Structures are given as structure tokens and as C-alpha cells.
Amino acid sequence: MSTPSDKQSRRSFGEQEADPAPRPSRRVFSAEYKLATVTEYENAPDGEKGAILRREGLYSSHIIEWTRARDAGRLDGELTESEVPAKRVKKSAEQIELEKLRRQNQKLTSDLTKTRMALDIMGKAHALLEELSESTGNDEPPKTS
């Protein structure tokens, strides 16, 4: 005789229960559908536009995006290279470390350049003050004409 707890324990060790809800997939719309929907939406009176969106299960952002694509001439049915979503390539730990070190090197180089410029200015200011102090060291007052 088995109890409900026995069935649960057996299932957790050997059997996998089927997922009751399959993973949803992204909807894909054809170029013809997009053009027809945009045309219907634009020709509808103001009170009917929301009904079209509800009937088709769309959002207003779909219509906006498709209208922009149509106006740009990209709703011809084929995706261009720029529209095809590129898979992000995961960077290795070495690549991440290398990028971090390059950014740090660039920042330190910039800081070094600023420091050298500041030292150059300080050296010139020191030389100017030294020259002024030497000229005031003379006992003769400046002559006025």
C-alpha cells in the first residue's frame, strides 16, 4: 500500500514530471501581415483602432514600429543584416580582464599627461617668481621718467 508521500519521494528520485505549461515562443509576423495591419489601423476611425489591436492581440508599439519600418522601406519581406539579431558572444575571463586593464591603462596615461603638464606649469611659475625675487633684490628703486 502506498501513500501520497511515497509517490512524491519516488518521483523525485527517478521520474521527471512533464511540465504542464510549455515554454512560450516569440511570435513572428510576416511582412504582409504587418503591412495589412498597419493599413487597416491607419484607415480605421479613432474609436475603432483599439478594437483592431485587441482583436489581433497587438500593442500600439507594434503598430508604431511597423509603421516606421514601412516608411524606411524595410517591410519588403526580407531581413537585412542589421535587423537580424546577432547572438551576443560571451567573453572569456581573459578578455574581460584585458579590457579592464586597457581602460585602466588609458586612464593612468591620461592622468600622467595631466600631471606632467601641471609640473611644467609649476616649474615655469617657480622660475618666474625666482626672477621677480632677484629683480627686487637690487637696492636701486626702479627709475621713473
Side-chain angles (χ1 to χ4, degrees):
M1 193 158 139
S2 65
T3 61
S5 62
D6 290 339
K7 290 180 183 176
Q8 288 176 346
S9 63
R10 276 190 231 139
R11 191 178 311 132
S12 64
F13 286 116
E15 300 175 18
Q16 290 289 333
E17 190 172 326
D19 189 11
R23 185 179 179 123
S25 61
R26 182 178 287 264
R27 298 184 296 173
V28 179
F29 303 102
S30 68
E32 295 82 23
Y33 175 80
K34 291 176 183 181
L35 287 172
T37 306
V38 167
T39 304
E40 182 182 3
Y41 184 83
E42 288 176 341
N43 293 332
D46 287 334
E48 299 295 319
K49 292 184 178 192
I52 294 170
L53 294 176
R54 284 189 297 276
R55 181 188 75 216
E56 298 295 329
L58 300 173
Y59 295 101
S60 60
S61 61
H62 287 114
I63 301 297
I64 293 168
E65 181 181 332
W66 296 346
T67 303
R68 288 179 183 161
R70 181 200 60 195
D71 294 344
R74 293 181 296 155
L75 275 185
D76 56 1
E78 294 183 19
L79 293 176
T80 62
E81 284 186 30
S82 62
E83 292 177 14
V84 176
K87 290 186 177 180
R88 293 187 91 180
V89 179
K90 290 190 176 182
K91 297 178 182 177
S92 68
E94 290 176 352
Q95 289 174 328
I96 293 170
E97 178 89 15
L98 183 62
E99 287 178 1
K100 178 182 173 187
L101 291 173
R102 283 184 177 156
R103 284 191 304 268
Q104 184 179 14
N105 187 9
Q106 186 177 10
K107 182 184 180 303
L108 291 174
T109 303
S110 173
D111 289 348
L112 178 63
T113 303
K114 290 176 188 174
T115 303
R116 285 183 176 163
M117 287 175 28
L119 284 173
D120 186 43
I121 292 170
M122 291 297 292
K124 289 178 181 179
H126 178 69
L128 178 65
L129 290 173
E130 212 172 80
E131 187 178 313
L132 288 174
S133 67
E134 286 177 3
S135 68
T136 59
N138 296 341
D139 291 344
E140 300 175 15
K143 296 180 181 178
T144 59
S145 17

